[in-house]
Amino acid sequence: MPLDRKPAPNDLRAFWMPYTANRQFKSAPRMLVASKDMHYTAADGRQILDGTAGLWCCNAGHCRPRITEAVQNQVGELDYAPAFQMGHPLAFELANRIVDIAPDAMEHVFYCNSGSEAVDTALKIALAYHRARGDAARTRLIGRERGYHGVGFGGISVGGIVNNRRHFGTLLAGVDHMPHTHLPENVFTKGQPEHGAHLADELERIVALHGAETIAAVIVEPMAGSTGVLMPPKGYLEKLRAITKKHGILLIFDEVITGFGRLGSPFAAQHFGVTPDMICCAKGLTNGVIPMGAVLASAEIHDAFMQGPEHLIELFHGYTYSGNPISCAAAIATLDTYAEEGLLTRAASLETYWQEAIHGLRDHPNVVDIRNMGLIGAVELAPIDGQPGKRAFDIFVRAFEAGILIRVTGDIIAMSPPLIISEAQIDHLIGTLGEVLKTAA
């Protein structure tokens, strides 16, 4: 946007927009100025019930005292420490805390700054792992249609959402994609769908096409979130794990959304009983308070790099802000909050109530599918002819005006409220959405 342009009061499009160039943005619609627990405060003073945990990340709600205090204290004690050849105690404490709640095989943690960086890190570790073991021909990466793995070149390449890819030309070479798992026979499923485990067998077809000896890793979201909340069919993840093990291919779970209690377990890997070789996480790691991501890896992967002299770099990868002390303090306080309030498993106790509430929208106008698991759910709408996404976006705007925050992707409404939500607040969230659905075109 040209710097001399004066945007209209409701023009909220781009992060490169000169926010400070026009003070009228302070009163623009859909501006958030404060937050606490389950609510945002809009610029006009209205309370907005958060039905999306910010952007899938504020699992403990907003402005939680323990996290706020930890960040404030850390800023005044140790603001930054180099991540290369140096360390600080909080980084080790946090790594141990993460390993304590992770699946048993996840024994090591590599820090980064976001989910996108976690994905690119995991992909690079996969490539370097095979090379370290003398298997350098394994360079191919396998993603999935409708998968979302962030905005780095690696994540976009293995991702499978067309609009996230079409603007950036040729991406990484040597990438293939399995089909997505969203089948019409699974509409209005509660929990895991019955149909679709056979889609994992497509990985065998890809192996036969390229040769197992060329494939480094398969990356999937155990539950695909950003594309519209797609659940894995029963037996699907188990098949993927068996096929990857059979062919010596690493399996990476992108748990940037599902990590830290979203499905009723610390990680989706535990919820589904399937342990990958690496897990990418971010978002809920610091409750969205400050950027941080991480890759959890097995001892086998870690140890493959630890074969040379101590003075040499084991893995030529890292970030200036990896394991930043303030981020670590926020993450430790977040894990404390989760533990004290039982939030990593609370979704399991609320799942039935949430499920019945959201499926109560089944007969509302234009609803063509509903799906749910843990404290996450999606309401899919019939698109307006020739205007895909417009119906859902109009409902998003109406919902905000009615005092609830939802998220839309295409014509799918996605909801993932903070794990502190009460049954009464579930009723309010779903009830308000129901009224909006009834009055929308």
Side-chain angles (χ1 to χ4, degrees):
M1 177 182 296
L3 293 180
D4 60 352
R5 174 182 167 185
K6 293 185 177 180
N10 62 349
D11 187 350
L12 303 177
R13 281 184 290 172
F15 272 79
W16 53 37
M17 160 191 319
Y19 279 116
T20 57
N22 196 313
R23 296 182 184 275
Q24 63 190 343
F25 273 89
K26 292 184 177 179
S27 60
R30 299 195 303 280
M31 293 291 280
L32 305 174
V33 297
S35 60
K36 181 62 180 172
D37 297 331
M38 278 296 304
H39 291 84
Y40 281 106
T41 301
D44 58 8
R46 293 181 304 118
Q47 291 295 288
I48 309 296
L49 181 66
D50 184 3
T52 61
L55 195 60
W56 317 91
C57 51
C58 303
N59 291 353
H62 298 276
C63 292
R64 301 305 308 275
R66 177 183 283 275
I67 305 171
T68 301
E69 183 179 355
V71 170
Q72 291 171 334
N73 290 340
Q74 190 60 45
V75 169
E77 181 175 334
L78 177 65
D79 57 349
Y80 178 80
F84 303 143
Q85 290 88 36
M86 306 286 288
H88 61 91
L90 289 181
F92 291 91
E93 179 184 348
L94 175 59
N96 287 325
R97 293 285 300 276
I98 294 172
V99 167
D100 285 345
I101 63 171
D104 289 342
M106 301 291 104
E107 299 181 18
H108 297 276
V109 179
F110 193 107
Y111 293 123
C112 51
N113 307 290
S114 68
S116 295
E117 288 187 1
V119 166
D120 278 14
T121 295
L123 297 177
K124 289 178 72 175
I125 289 174
L127 296 172
Y129 164 78
H130 289 296
R131 184 174 290 273
R133 297 173 69 250
D135 212 356
R138 289 186 180 265
T139 59
R140 189 172 297 277
L141 303 169
I142 310 300
R144 187 169 60 186
E145 296 168 359
R146 294 190 67 168
Y148 179 71
H149 301 293
V151 297
F153 272 96
I156 295 175
S157 298
V158 296
I161 299 177
V162 174
N163 283 339
N164 289 347
R165 298 162 54 86
R166 62 169 23 125
H167 301 289
F168 305 110
T170 302
L171 301 171
L172 294 185
V175 174
D176 210 333
H177 292 80
M178 301 179 293
H180 65 74
T181 62
H182 190 40
L183 301 178
E185 54 264 45
N186 289 325
V187 295
F188 296 105
T189 292
K190 297 178 178 179
Q192 277 190 274
E194 295 290 338
H195 308 287
H198 67 282
L199 294 169
D201 294 331
E202 283 295 302
L203 180 57
E204 288 281 21
R205 181 189 63 79
I206 293 173
V207 169
L209 175 65
H210 299 294
E213 71 280 3
T214 71
I215 302 175
V218 170
I219 182 168
V220 296
E221 301 158 275
M223 182 221 71
S226 293
T227 192
V229 185
L230 308 183
M231 309 303 173
K234 292 178 180 178
Y236 174 83
L237 293 174
E238 291 87 343
K239 276 196 168 189
L240 278 187
R241 177 69 284 190
I243 294 168
T244 51
K245 275 189 175 293
K246 171 184 172 183
H247 295 293
I249 300 167
L250 296 181
L251 179 61
I252 304 168
F253 276 3
D254 181 343
E255 294 219 34
V256 172
I257 284 176
T258 55
F260 304 102
R262 182 51 53 191
L263 300 183
S265 299
F267 293 92
Q270 295 148 320
H271 180 82
F272 295 116
V274 178
T275 302
D277 299 293
M278 285 185 275
I279 291 176
C280 303
C281 61
K283 292 188 182 291
L285 176 56
T286 62
N287 202 48
V289 170
I290 194 166
M292 190 178 207
V295 176
L296 317 186
S298 66
E300 179 181 355
I301 290 175
H302 170 272
D303 293 348
F305 294 99
M306 302 300 159
Q307 304 301 318
E310 185 174 337
H311 67 280
L312 295 182
I313 297 172
E314 297 89 3
L315 175 65
F316 284 81
H317 177 70
Y319 302 95
T320 299
Y321 300 105
S322 291
N324 177 273
I326 300 169
S327 299
C328 288
I332 291 169
T334 296
L335 294 181
D336 286 341
T337 302
Y338 291 156
E340 290 170 4
E341 301 180 16
L343 297 182
L344 293 180
T345 56
R346 190 165 188 268
S349 64
L350 284 173
E351 182 173 23
T352 299
Y353 195 91
W354 169 256
Q355 175 174 278
E356 295 310 308
I358 194 171
H359 278 270
L361 301 173
R362 177 169 182 162
D363 296 326
H364 284 58
N366 302 307
V367 173
V368 297
D369 190 18
I370 295 173
R371 41 196 180 267
N372 71 282
M373 185 176 291
L375 264 179
I376 195 166
V379 178
E380 188 160 351
L381 306 174
I384 297 172
D385 288 344
Q387 301 182 81
K390 186 177 189 306
R391 173 167 281 134
F393 181 76
D394 288 347
I395 288 172
F396 162 76
V397 174
R398 288 170 178 257
F400 188 86
E401 292 169 350
I404 61 170
L405 180 64
I406 59 175
R407 177 160 173 74
V408 296
T409 174
D411 278 296
I412 300 168
I413 298 167
M415 290 175 287
S416 57
L419 304 175
I420 62 172
I421 193 171
S422 67
E423 291 183 355
Q425 289 167 331
I426 291 175
D427 292 341
H428 178 66
L429 175 64
I430 303 301
T432 302
L433 177 58
E435 292 303 311
V436 171
L437 288 170
K438 290 176 183 177
T439 59

